[in-house]
Amino acid sequence: MMKNPSASPFYMISCLVMLLLLPLPSLLADPDPLQDFCVADLSASTSVNGFLCKPASNVSSDDFFFDGLSKEGNTTNIFGSNVTAANVLSFPGLNTQGSSINRVDFAIGGVNPPHSHPRATETDLVISGQVLIGFVTTGNVYFSKVLTAGQIFVIPRGLVHFQKNVGPGKALIFTTFNSQLPGAAVVPLNLFASTPSIPNDVLTKTFQVGDDVVNSIKSKFVVKLGPYSR
Ligand code: GLV
Ligand code: MN
């Protein structure tokens, strides 16, 4: 007589594992807060997956206000772009709220170079100008669009993406994240401006070029670009 496969221990363990894994897709952003707010005490000497809360009695309206995105960023750098970040480090009121926002200014022809955010999905809103926004999937498929004022584009979590000003004047976008500190791994800086450096023979073999090319690229990034090491 055939045995009922659904009675086997292997089948039951597989079902149990599936049941345990099912809720995982809903855990796509920072953990939910356990209180109304938790304004970060950035001076505390300990932190646990975020920052300790400032005592509620010391919290005022100013803790929920940030003026840092009202000014145009300085785009006089090799990329012709500037990212101003309102994340938990600059705006402690965001602590535990699972949210942050950047202002990105572009000079004519400026690019926000390829980078990825390990901890967040990004949504880009164009305020002015014409901006080419693109990302590449883990399967190396490229998606892109040229956007104008009022249009938005979503960058799936963790994927390499960029923005380039393709209009005749300056451009401005705001980017929002479902993390208080999305992190940014900037591809050219990760590869060619790390400390200490990735050995040249790794890069020459990887890119199939000579030392001269690798040294030339490394030399472009000798002066670290503050906003890009966010
Ligand atoms: C844009 O991609 C940003 O990270 O702000
Ligand atoms: Mn980004």
Side-chain angles (χ1 to χ4, degrees):
M1 207 172 85
M2 282 259 292
K3 269 177 126 182
N4 177 0
S6 65
S8 80
F10 175 75
Y11 179 84
M12 285 191 292
I13 289 171
S14 304
C15 288
L16 192 64
V17 168
M18 286 297 289
L19 277 175
L20 288 173
L21 289 177
L22 270 179
L24 284 182
S26 62
L27 301 176
L28 286 175
D30 290 1
D32 283 340
L34 301 177
Q35 61 281 305
D36 281 357
F37 59 79
C38 172
V39 174
D41 178 357
L42 298 179
S43 66
S45 54
T46 51
S47 68
V48 186
N49 204 20
F51 295 93
L52 293 185
C53 312
K54 186 170 162 175
S57 53
N58 293 351
V59 170
S60 73
S61 301
D62 281 341
D63 287 302
F64 303 105
F65 173 78
F66 183 71
D67 188 29
L69 303 190
S70 59
K71 290 170 213 70
E72 184 174 348
N74 181 356
T75 58
T76 48
N77 57 60
I78 57 172
F79 296 128
S81 72
N82 186 284
V83 177
T84 311
N87 60 36
V88 69
L89 298 179
S90 53
F91 184 12
L94 289 175
N95 196 35
T96 74
Q97 300 301 322
S99 163
S100 57
I101 180 166
N102 288 349
R103 170 189 178 124
V104 192
D105 289 280
F106 298 88
I108 295 174
V111 69
N112 186 18
H115 63 279
S116 67
H117 304 287
R119 297 183 285 275
T121 302
E122 170 179 322
T123 305
D124 296 7
L125 167 66
V126 174
I127 303 298
S128 62
Q130 262 174 275
V131 184
L132 168 69
I133 305 180
F135 69 84
V136 183
T137 69
T138 54
N140 300 318
V141 181
Y142 171 58
F143 292 92
S144 72
K145 198 99 184 149
V146 173
L147 283 79
T148 55
Q151 299 182 326
I152 61 176
F153 200 66
V154 65
I155 310 294
R157 177 177 173 151
L159 298 188
V160 170
H161 61 283
F162 67 88
Q163 296 93 7
K164 181 165 196 314
N165 180 4
V166 291
K170 294 197 249 186
L172 170 64
I173 69 172
F174 280 85
T175 56
T176 62
F177 304 89
N178 59 343
S179 168
Q180 65 181 25
L181 196 58
V186 183
V187 177
L189 301 187
N190 273 189
L191 294 180
F192 296 99
S194 64
T195 308
S197 290
I198 296 179
N200 269 25
D201 59 344
V202 173
L203 297 170
T204 54
K205 185 79 174 162
T206 300
F207 292 105
Q208 299 288 297
V209 294
D211 269 314
D212 51 336
V213 175
V214 167
N215 288 336
S216 160
I217 298 176
K218 281 185 172 174
S219 72
K220 316 265 187 235
F221 303 126
V222 168
V223 178
K224 290 278 189 315
L225 298 155
Y228 291 95
S229 49
R230 69 193 187 278

